[in-house]
Amino acid sequence: MAPPSYSDIGKQARDVFGKGYHFGLVKLDVKSKTSSGVEFTAGGSSSTDGGKVTGSLETKYKIKEHGLSLTEKWNTDNSLNTTVDYDKLVPGLKLTLDGSFQPNSGSKSGKFKTEYKHEKFLFNADLNLASSPVVNMSTSVGHGAYSLGYQTAFDSGKSALTKHNLALAYNAGDMILHATATDSKVFGGGIYLKNSPVLETGVTASSAVGGSSSFGIGCKYSLGPDASLRAKVNNASQVGLSYQQKLRDGVTVTMS
């Protein structure tokens, strides 16, 4: 089994803090799949003060025998996004082409991505399709319970590497520890605990050289197969609460 990608190191602890929170919003997500294999995802949100209402519609179609998948997404900001994935060229290699277009302004952008997975090695790279592209690269290696990741970027316009980030994780099953270093200026870490079948806890901390520090603790409690409660607090005394309810297969409501 391949190690986690650089961006996924520490994901379990971050998810305890990030997933299920949409402050000041009521959010509804609906998912369905047709008999022909086309997947539909519709989402909408409304602010609790009666303000802006936003929504999105996403369709995804897979041609498994050819290793192709096509995803198209539209939102109420009138932004169109298309993603094409292909994974049949070489075992473990996945190629992705992303494109976005805004009819109102005429602006468009594109990005080419690659991912290669091996039993003890994973490599990611992406390149924005621009006159002076920036190439983002990351890699991770794994051995037993340990994973080590490195991330960098090359700016062709400046002909220079613009970042050097490191991440380390230890996975003991119900406990996952991680530590990060961003350009040798910001250091952080965290711990994820699966306390019981219904309770998950996450703790994160970070500190900038010569700057501020932050600390937070969060938890997720499952009320049953279709409902969960989340809570979190940080060193600035900011408290977050969230309730998520699955109404039926493919339909979920979130209040936070």
Side-chain angles (χ1 to χ4, degrees), residues 16-67:
V16 173
F17 285 87
K19 277 194 173 182
Y21 291 98
H22 310 281
F23 294 118
L25 298 174
V26 175
K27 193 168 191 268
L28 175 67
D29 293 309
V30 180
K31 297 181 180 181
S32 65
K33 186 174 183 179
T34 67
S35 57
S36 59
V38 181
E39 300 175 16
F40 291 91
T41 302
S45 63
S46 174
S47 60
T48 53
D49 60 4
K52 186 177 180 181
V53 176
T54 61
S56 65
L57 176 64
E58 179 180 297
T59 61
K60 186 172 185 177
Y61 181 66
K62 295 181 180 180
I63 310 174
K64 292 184 179 180
E65 61 271 23
H66 297 295

Side-chain angles (χ1 to χ4, degrees), residues 36 58 82 89 123 134 141 155-156 249:
S36 59
E58 179 180 297
T82 301
L89 185 63
F123 175 79
V134 175
V141 293
D155 188 331
S156 62
D249 289 341

Side-chain angles (χ1 to χ4, degrees), residues 112-254:
F112 179 67
K113 303 177 183 179
T114 63
E115 179 182 79
Y116 179 71
K117 290 183 179 180
H118 188 267
E119 184 179 351
K120 295 185 179 295
F121 170 80
L122 191 147
F123 175 79
N124 292 96
D126 65 70
L127 167 73
N128 62 322
L129 305 179
S131 56
S132 298
V134 175
V135 183
N136 295 290
M137 296 171 285
S138 65
T139 186
S140 59
V141 293
H143 179 73
Y146 295 93
S147 299
L148 176 65
Y150 171 71
Q151 182 188 57
T152 188
F154 177 76
D155 188 331
S156 62
K158 300 178 181 178
S159 298
L161 294 173
T162 57
K163 60 184 176 183
H164 300 281
N165 302 331
L166 284 170
L168 175 67
Y170 173 75
N171 189 335
D174 290 340
M175 181 186 71
I176 302 175
L177 301 169
H178 77 275
T180 60
T182 304
D183 286 329
S184 299
K185 296 178 180 178
V186 181
F187 299 89
I191 180 171
Y192 166 83
L193 293 171
K194 182 76 171 178
N195 306 84
S196 71
V198 297
L199 180 62
E200 301 172 43
T201 304
V203 179
T204 62
S206 67
S207 179
V209 176
S212 61
S213 300
S214 63
F215 173 85
I217 181 169
C219 65
K220 174 187 175 183
Y221 184 78
S222 296
L223 300 172
D226 299 328
S228 62
L229 284 172
R230 290 177 168 87
K232 63 180 178 180
V233 63
N234 62 20
N235 60 312
S237 299
Q238 295 173 323
V239 179
L241 298 172
S242 171
Y243 174 73
Q244 198 165 54
Q245 176 71 53
K246 179 181 176 182
L247 302 180
R248 63 178 180 82
D249 289 341
V251 182
T252 303
V253 174
T254 303

